[in-house]
Amino acid sequence: MNITGKHIVITGATAGIGESSARILAEQGAQLTLLCRNLDKGAAVARAIVAAGGSEPTLVAMDMASLASVREAAQAVLEQKRPVNILLNNAGVVNTSRKITVDGFEETLAVNHFAPFVLTGMLLPALLEAPGARIVNVASAAHEFVRDMGFDDMHAEQSFKTFREYGRSKLANILFTRSLAERLQGQPITVNCLHPGAVSTSLGAQNKGLAARILPLLLKPFFRSADKGAETSIYLCTSDEVSDVSGAYFANCKQKQPKPWGRDDAAAKRLWAYTEESTGFTYP
Ligand SMILES: NC(=O)c1ccc[n+]([C@@H]2O[C@H](COP(=O)([O-])OP(=O)(O)OC[C@H]3O[C@@H](n4cnc5c(N)ncnc54)[C@H](OP(=O)(O)O)[C@@H]3O)[C@@H](O)[C@H]2O)c1
């Protein structure tokens, strides 16, 4: 698909895989809206894109740990009054201790699942104005660390485990993708998700402690670069091969089966209802 002049909205474009994705999509001629927690970092990314010959991105402030901020950002995108051809839900967080958002949610679940759920729902009208629109959700093979969503302790009140909470939030991305694809059946829009590989980025770098600082250095030789990590995101945003594919999970630019709990439609349905109730946002 030629993306020259196409409007692409990206979350988490201020670091890692999202920053690479934004740069590569801009190089291919896309017009970007970057939803950024840190507008200074967003401005630096925008300057680099313009310096490389890309169109100047629009910057919108959004802290995904606050649903009010997510709603405001979505509203600001809608107020641009232009169709959204692609929504790339890329931003994510890994925490080594339990944190609670201003809304009272466990932060990993809130940032990685609740925020893109609401953002996507609010942007649906603008996506539906662009025939052939695509929603791309950056999930993870980390869903393999868990076996279910843990509906009895969604906010890790009983106990908090870094990889379990992160894995569940990424499982939520996969289940959300399945449910949304089903709901959008018959409409000119697709939604897919992906694992970007193990990528050397700043993911988890905000955590304190020696292990949090040393682990990335030890793992770095085994990890791929952010540009390489962006490949499957770019593929799902641009390739003609996937124009008619929806509700699927990809890794290394190939469709792959997620683990069985990533194909559990009853869990996907339950998660959808739980998320609508928790966020107070009901899909149109
Ligand atoms: N790295 C890997 O090996 C790997 C593997 C599988 C999946 N993934 C997934 O890939 C995606 C990108 O991760 P990455 O590795 O590129 O991480 P990263 O380098 O840490 O970048 C994360 C991005 O998300 C943004 N973000 C985090 N919390 C936010 C919040 N509350 N509000 C708004 N934006 C927020 C960050 O903004 P700031 O710049 O302000 O911090 C940054 O732009 C994530 O969904 C992650 O789960 C990564």
Side-chain angles (χ1 to χ4, degrees):
M1 176 168 82
N2 182 348
I3 58 164
T4 306
K6 301 273 191 218
H7 182 203
I8 305 184
V9 175
I10 310 182
T11 68
T14 47
I17 300 163
E19 184 176 356
S20 286
S21 304
R23 185 173 31 75
I24 295 164
L25 292 166
E27 274 166 16
Q28 294 185 20
Q31 291 180 354
L32 307 181
T33 294
L34 311 181
L35 306 185
C36 318
R37 164 167 63 179
N38 180 328
L39 283 175
D40 290 338
K41 284 174 84 175
V45 172
R47 276 196 300 277
I49 284 173
V50 172
S55 300
E56 174 140 26
T58 303
L59 301 181
V60 174
M62 177 176 70
D63 180 355
M64 295 169 74
S66 156
L67 282 183
S69 176
V70 172
R71 284 173 179 271
E72 270 174 40
Q75 199 51 44
V77 174
L78 294 175
E79 278 164 18
Q80 291 180 18
K81 303 234 177 289
R82 52 177 176 150
V84 173
N85 298 91
I86 301 170
L87 168 62
L88 176 53
N89 282 314
N90 160 84
V93 71
V94 177
N95 288 335
T96 52
S97 61
R98 186 170 182 267
K99 289 190 191 144
I100 297 301
T101 68
V102 288
D103 302 305
F105 304 135
E106 190 279 311
E107 191 185 69
T108 324
L109 181 72
V111 170
N112 294 0
H113 171 56
F114 286 171
F117 180 93
V118 172
L119 178 68
T120 305
M122 285 190 68
L123 294 186
L124 264 186
L127 284 153
L128 287 166
E129 274 174 30
R134 300 182 184 194
I135 300 163
V136 177
N137 298 325
V138 181
S140 175
H143 77 281
E144 297 178 8
F145 303 157
V146 297
R147 294 285 179 275
D148 56 43
M149 278 305 306
F151 284 110
D152 57 341
D153 191 22
M154 288 293 276
H155 296 280
E157 287 162 294
Q158 291 160 29
S159 70
F160 179 93
K161 289 191 179 141
T162 297
F163 290 115
R164 187 186 63 195
E165 305 340 320
Y166 179 66
R168 283 181 175 161
S169 74
K170 295 282 121 181
L171 171 60
N173 295 156
I174 296 171
L175 296 176
F176 167 57
T177 300
R178 282 177 83 81
S179 295
L180 186 58
E182 200 184 309
R183 286 172 165 258
L184 293 173
Q185 245 177 31
Q187 311 226 51
I189 179 169
T190 62
V191 52
N192 290 295
C193 64
L194 67 117
H195 169 56
V199 188
S200 183
T201 64
S202 52
L203 193 67
Q206 85 286 359
N207 292 300
K208 308 267 181 295
L210 200 59
R213 276 182 283 130
I214 287 181
L215 201 62
L217 296 175
L218 293 177
L219 291 174
K220 199 166 178 160
F222 306 103
F223 280 22
R224 52 181 71 173
S225 68
D227 276 14
K228 183 90 186 136
E231 279 179 0
T232 306
S233 296
I234 302 298
Y235 173 77
L236 287 178
C237 287
T238 62
S239 174
D240 289 330
E241 289 172 9
V242 290
S243 328
D244 298 323
V245 181
S246 195
Y249 173 71
F250 287 75
N252 293 319
C253 302
K254 297 220 159 35
Q255 198 171 328
K256 196 182 166 190
Q257 287 276 46
K259 288 289 181 191
W261 44 96
R263 290 179 263 136
D264 180 343
D265 287 327
K269 210 169 161 196
R270 185 169 174 191
L271 178 67
W272 190 281
Y274 177 82
T275 308
E276 283 197 338
E277 198 190 327
S278 300
T279 59
F281 180 80
T282 306
Y283 265 60

